[in-house]
Amino acid sequence: MPRTADHLTLNWVPGQPRNPEAYVLKDPETRYRQRYLDMRLTVEVRQVLSARVKIVDYIRSFLKNKKFEEFETPMMNTNAGGAIARPFVTHHNDLNMPLHMCIAPELLLKQLVIGGDERVFEIGRQFRNEGIDTTHNPEFTTCEFYMALADYYDLMEMTEDILSGLVKELTGGYKIKYHANGYDKEPIEIDSTPPFRRIEMIGELEKVANLNIPKDLASEEANKYLVDACARVGVISPPPFTTARLLDKLVGEFLEETCVNPTFIINHPVIMSPLAKEHRSNSALTERFELFINKHELCNAYTELNNPVVQRQRFADQLKDRQSEDDEAMVIDEIFCTALKYGLPPTAGWGFGIDKLSMLLTDSLNIKEVIAFPLMKPQEKPASA
């Protein structure tokens, strides 16, 4: 029998494999450029987009039930802060100044916590001037929340509650089927039953890749060791060869590949986490985790750094990476540094990718499937006769 949810009769149930042969329009270019036609001809297209709406509704309701307040922060700023990413830059004619499209609302949401609102969240768009592939679009949607008097342990538990509860709400259970290897292959099973696996980043990387990374990760010795290690194991990292980039590439090769069911990779080094608080028992690490499912990152969270002196030094360290031609490194955000001096209470922050989660729960292999109007290059005009 078809499953009925919120007045929408589903011939396909979210979390179960989809049948690509059901599409009337076969050409992806036509489907994405003329989405209205795709929706009119194939009911499953509407069901996928409706499932995304339900995902957003569930997360919003979960947070509001936890007494979080929803805010909207600016989409254009004088600084592109809050994440390590390359921004889009535009120009304001009247003010005659450059503006950066939002790459993350983090620094503004934390200023709301400094202002006294202890539980805040935003579901909104972010813009990053980076590559486009099957899991990345230049504009995408995230949910970020910040919670005073909490740490990253609290957020790991909340992440388990949100994800497992959402999967059960949409599918009736904790297990979903996903065509990770293509629709012509058997789907894999992804089990979201809590608790999720937790693995220590550096310790597990050394164990799996047979490495012995120098303890002082900020040293030249550590950088040279990682350059040599990448060459030895065949991991290719584009320049600049900063320690943070090299570690990220090694983690992607050896740890992320093991994360099919929901898995927390925890306790990232300080050099990879400029906004995260130092770990309470190891000053080289931070209280941070990333959630991976089907080998892809969906969530990034940490206990927030709330020491204004240390935060300024972290920004300065990032500036060194920018001077090494790493144009994704952060810049010093003077407004945020000033705000921190007024006191950010112990706070934990969380960000989750709505698009990638929607892909998983709708068995979509391309991010364009879960975006109503994905960015497309202009069609070339036919040559004149």
Side-chain angles (χ1 to χ4, degrees), residues 25-165:
L25 294 177
K26 303 298 183 183
D27 176 42
E29 287 279 316
T30 303
R31 291 188 53 230
Y32 302 142
R33 290 184 189 280
Q34 296 180 275
R35 182 65 98 183
Y36 54 89
L37 192 58
D38 198 25
M39 295 172 66
R40 288 284 294 270
L41 294 175
T42 306
V43 66
E44 197 165 286
V45 175
R46 300 199 302 275
Q47 293 170 344
V48 168
L49 297 176
S50 294
R52 178 191 171 113
V53 172
K54 296 180 191 302
I55 289 167
V56 172
D57 285 347
Y58 181 91
I59 294 173
R60 177 176 279 114
S61 296
F62 181 97
L63 292 174
K64 289 194 171 184
N65 286 338
K66 295 286 186 181
K67 308 303 181 186
F68 282 80
E69 289 189 314
E70 185 171 9
F71 284 84
E72 293 179 337
T73 57
M75 290 289 98
M76 294 186 293
N77 298 280
T78 54
N79 244 358
I84 299 175
R86 184 182 299 114
F88 285 96
V89 181
T90 186
H91 186 84
H92 193 292
N93 291 332
D94 193 45
L95 295 176
N96 191 27
M97 61 184 288
L99 290 173
H100 298 79
M101 298 297 292
C102 173
I103 59 173
E106 174 169 345
L107 302 185
L108 293 167
L109 289 172
K110 283 194 281 194
Q111 289 176 55
L112 291 170
V113 180
I114 293 170
D117 203 322
E118 296 187 340
R119 296 191 178 200
V120 301
F121 79 98
E122 179 172 11
I123 297 175
R125 297 292 182 85
Q126 298 179 24
F127 308 85
R128 299 187 183 180
N129 197 357
E130 298 170 347
I132 298 177
D133 57 31
T134 56
T135 61
H136 294 89
N137 195 62
E139 59 176 301
F140 57 98
T141 303
T142 66
C143 174
E144 288 202 18
F145 74 72
Y146 294 84
M147 181 179 181
L149 307 181
D151 62 19
Y152 78 140
Y153 291 112
D154 298 312
L155 296 198
M156 279 189 265
E157 292 184 5
M158 283 185 68
T159 304
E160 290 171 341
D161 290 345
I162 291 172
L163 184 62
S164 62

Side-chain angles (χ1 to χ4, degrees), residues 274-285:
L275 297 170
K277 194 165 190 173
E278 183 180 292
H279 195 281
R280 64 196 70 183
S281 60
N282 187 337
S283 61
L285 306 179

Side-chain angles (χ1 to χ4, degrees), residues 239-313:
F241 302 115
T242 62
T243 300
R245 278 177 174 254
L246 295 168
L247 277 172
D248 187 61
K249 289 295 181 181
L250 288 166
V251 169
E253 180 72 20
F254 290 100
L255 299 189
E256 293 173 17
E257 287 297 306
T258 71
C259 302
V260 177
N261 290 331
T263 302
F264 295 121
I265 296 179
I266 67 173
N267 299 341
H268 298 50
V270 168
I271 58 170
M272 299 179 74
S273 313
L275 297 170
K277 194 165 190 173
E278 183 180 292
H279 195 281
R280 64 196 70 183
S281 60
N282 187 337
S283 61
L285 306 179
T286 59
E287 297 193 349
R288 176 185 173 191
F289 70 82
E290 291 177 292
L291 175 70
F292 285 83
I293 309 176
N294 184 40
K295 308 176 186 179
H296 292 289
E297 177 205 343
L298 272 79
C299 178
N300 183 30
Y302 36 84
T303 308
E304 299 294 338
L305 175 58
N306 59 350
N307 183 319
V309 176
V310 176
Q311 182 63 82
R312 175 172 285 280
Q313 182 58 51

